[in-house]
Structure formats: C-alpha cells, structure tokens
Amino acid sequence: MDFRKLPSGAVTLRDVRVPGCLLGDKAAFVKRDIHLRDGQISDTPGEAVDMGGAIVLPCFVDMHTHLDKGHIWPRAANPDGTFMGALTTVRADSSANWSAEDVRRRMDFSLRCAFAHGTRAIRTHIDSIAPQDEISWPVFREMREEWAGRIDLQGACLIACDRMEPEGRFRETADRVADAGGVLGMVTYPVPDLRARVEGFLRLAMERGLEADFHVDETLDPESQTLRVVAETARDLSFDKPITVGHLCSLSAQETGVAMDTIDLVAEVGLNVVSLPMCNLYLQNRHNHRTPRKRGITLVHEMKVRGINVSFASDNTRDPFYAYGDMDMIEVMREATRIGHLDHTGDDWVNAFTANPAKACGFAAPSFAAGASADLVICKARSWGEFFARPQADRIVVRGGKQIDRTLPEYSELDDLVGVP
Ligand SMILES: Nc1ccnc(=O)[nH]1
C-alpha cells in the first residue's frame, strides 16, 4: 500500500476496512473494495490500488469549536491554566485585538488545519458580547462562503447567561444570528434567575426558528446543576428544534442518583450531548503544584445506554481555554478513547465523531453508498489497536474523490498577529 499517492482518476481502493457500525453491520469492520469515480463513491471499478486492509472512515464532523479564539496563545497565554485564567485572558485579548482581520486570519488558519486532517463540517461558537458580534459575524459569513464545498460551517453565538439580556441588546445579537442562519448559543452558570434567563433565551430562539447550543456546567462543582434547568425549560416550552448541550462536567462530580436522574431527563427531552474531553482535562481540577485527581469528562457511557445522541469535539485550539490542539478529529478520537475508556465497550464509538455530530447539527449524514460524495480518511491501520497506537500522521484524505494536499500551515504565518514565541 502506497500511503503517499493515489492515482488521480477513477480508482478502486482494494481491500479496505470500514467500521461495521457505519454500514449498519454488527461486525467491528467490514472488508470491502471501494470504487471512487467522478467525485463519488461508485459501483464501477477504477484503477485498482491494494490498500492492505487499511481502515477507511468518513470525513469528520467537529461540532464544537471556537475558531474565533484559535491561536491567540502566544500573545494571550493562560496565566495559570485555570478556567478563570482563561476567561479573563480572553476578555482582555478580544477587546484589545479582535478586529475583523485578526479574527479572519486565525479562523482561516484553523480551517486549513481541520481540512488537512480530514474534517468536512464544523460548528464554531462565536464570542458575541456586543460589540464583538458586529465584528465577528460578518467575518464568519465570509469564511463560510469562502470555504463552501470544502468545510460546511455553522456558527453559534456565545454569551454568558448573566450578560444575556433577553429584552436588551441580546435581541439584536439574536437577529444577527438569525440573519446569518446561525444557532443561538449561551453559557449557563448557576445564577439565581437562571430559569427566567433560559426561558427568555429559548423564546428568542423560538421566535426566530433557531436551534440552540449551550455550554453547560463546565465545572466540577456538584452543585452546578444548570443542565436540569435547560432540560426542564426546553420541555416546558415544547421547544421543537434541536438543542445541543456541551461539557456537562459537573455530572461526573455528583452523587450517582442525582446525576442519573438528570441524564434520564436529558434522554426524555432528547438533548444532543457533546463532550470536550481535551479541554476538560486541561482546565478542570487544576490547582498548581497539585496532581489532578479528576478528568472532567461527562458521563458518556451512561448517556449512550440511555439512547442520548453523544458526540465528541475539539473545543478550543491554542488559546487560553486549551493550550494545544490542531483541529484534528483523530487526535480527539485518541484522547477521548483514553480519557473516557471508550475501548472495551463495543465497536460503535466512531459514530460519536462522524454520524452523531452530523445528526445533532443537521449536517449531511456520512454514507458509503454509491452516489455519496467521496470524502474519506484512510489510515495505515488494520484494527482499532493499530489505529489508536499512532497519530495517523500519514493518513490519506480524499475530498470529492481526490486526494488532498495535507500540508499544514506554518505557525510563523501568524507571528505578526499573535507574536513570536
Ligand atoms: N470551554 C470554553 C468555555 C467558554 N469559552 C470557550 O472558548 N471555551
């Protein structure tokens, strides 16, 4: 198997393995040949290439990112690695530096990384405390257009619940989001009038026909139970668009009965869950010079058995909320598998990086059927053991039937924006 170059015309990938769960098959992998022709998966063979049993995955969906914050680290490092350190550092940097040009160049950098690693669709949160919404949303719209056909982009506004005034300036932000075809997003903390705020927020979404996406309980304080308020309010309002809830770290610190009761409610209301294990591992349970004891990942196994649509995503990249990351969903798979013990628990977790996030966000479902767009990631691994043992840096990414150039952008491109390390 030549892992450098596929032929440029119609091709048959001979002897590849597709995860069975992506084909509705119970087997861990299904061995088959895949024909690519005219940009699509085809029934008609092309030039045969022996792939030696390589795993083929559909391109990834990264449903929770922050492209507007990406790569500010060199000029805005988190001083102590904590959540508060992240919040205050980002606030200062955004008010000082987030011009349209600054946001555009950093977003484009992240999109090029994501594309090179094999991601085809991304939802990004966009910090939208006025007046930043006026700067970042037009940039997002430009980028979405520029990247159409390579990466499908969705935007969700991001604002803390105590800054979100449903009768005030936030109405304008909601209009801007609606006008851009975006998703209404908010961070929930345990504030005294949270229920009224969530209700006001969801009513704004309903009036505009918008989906909702919440950052919820990103803390290990077991008393932070805003997930219940989001679920109950959505149920009481009969909110009928998809809702995504992200983080949910505090569930992992709560007494089991309390947490399970809340998860049952999440299943009943049909919320989509996205876990961000890399960012959680970085920020949660951090006290300098003390070894962390907790991982912060939400209760993904308990959710999965209850039929909740569970996904994983990148979250932040090289910013104060997460110092590392490269928009690489195979890194997310590797880390999530280690952090959350996704191994030894069945063979269908790959859905949580492909089909589940597509469903949560309404992106096209991955498909290996003839006629589907040929958007594939091919790895030099014949089992999950081989797959997870290496970073798959030599993967092939095929988009629209063609192998893409996977060269990553150089960090030095951003030196004039963010400083030289
Ligand atoms: N984990 C995060 C919470 C809030 N904002 C972010 O950018 N990231």
Side-chain angles (χ1 to χ4, degrees), residues 93-315:
D93 189 65
S94 61
S95 41
N97 295 317
W98 291 20
S99 65
E101 184 60 11
D102 179 70
V103 174
R104 180 185 300 110
R105 282 180 55 196
R106 291 184 293 97
M107 267 193 176
D108 188 66
F109 190 96
S110 288
L111 287 164
R112 281 185 280 150
C113 298
F115 185 72
H117 289 308
T119 291
R120 66 167 167 99
I122 291 176
R123 177 178 285 182
T124 179
H125 294 270
I126 298 171
D127 278 30
S128 294
I129 295 178
Q132 190 64 45
D133 57 342
E134 295 167 24
I135 300 167
S136 295
W137 278 87
V139 174
F140 164 75
R141 293 175 71 152
E142 274 171 40
M143 299 307 285
R144 184 175 55 190
E145 199 151 309
E146 216 169 279
W147 277 83
R150 290 178 290 165
I151 295 182
D152 280 349
L153 266 179
Q154 290 183 355
C157 64
L158 186 67
I159 187 163
C161 59
D162 54 336
R163 306 285 292 268
M164 191 281 316
E165 299 295 344
E167 302 300 331
R169 173 62 171 78
F170 187 69
R171 294 188 84 83
E172 226 179 278
T173 304
D175 288 339
R176 191 180 294 283
V177 171
D179 192 45
V183 173
L184 210 62
M186 177 168 83
V187 187
T188 56
Y189 304 113
V191 292
D193 57 349
L194 179 67
R195 197 169 293 266
R197 285 180 181 274
V198 172
E199 181 174 336
F201 174 88
L202 286 176
R203 285 193 188 284
L204 289 177
M206 288 166 88
E207 287 160 17
R208 291 160 182 78
L210 299 176
E211 300 178 20
D213 194 324
F214 294 91
H215 283 63
V216 178
D217 300 329
E218 191 180 355
T219 167
L220 291 174
D221 175 0
E223 298 307 317
S224 184
Q225 299 186 12
T226 72
L227 176 57
R228 275 206 83 82
V229 177
V230 171
E232 286 169 358
T233 310
R235 180 195 60 197
D236 296 348
L237 291 177
S238 303
F239 191 89
D240 64 355
K241 295 274 184 193
I243 296 179
T244 290
V245 286
H247 290 294
L248 320 178
C249 306
S250 70
L251 284 174
S252 72
Q254 288 163 9
E255 197 220 307
T256 303
V258 173
M260 295 310 136
D261 204 44
T262 301
I263 299 177
D264 286 341
L265 179 66
V266 168
E268 180 197 319
V269 180
L271 305 183
N272 299 291
V273 169
V274 61
S275 177
L276 298 314
M278 287 159 30
C279 182
N280 296 157
L281 203 64
Y282 179 75
L283 290 176
Q284 301 303 313
N285 206 219
R286 185 184 285 272
H287 305 277
N288 276 355
H289 306 295
R290 176 187 167 281
T291 307
R293 318 276 166 88
K294 297 173 183 165
R295 296 174 175 216
I297 186 171
T298 196
L299 305 185
V300 292
H301 293 281
E302 294 78 357
M303 291 172 179
K304 183 168 178 254
V305 296
R306 283 164 175 76
I308 295 170
N309 185 38
V310 177
S311 305
F312 295 90
S314 286
D315 209 3

Side-chain angles (χ1 to χ4, degrees), residues 11 41 133 165 237 245 252 329 336 343 356 358 396 402 414:
V11 61
I41 294 182
D133 57 342
E165 299 295 344
L237 291 177
V245 286
S252 72
M329 285 296 285
D343 42 6
N356 298 359
I396 287 175
K402 293 196 175 66
L414 297 177

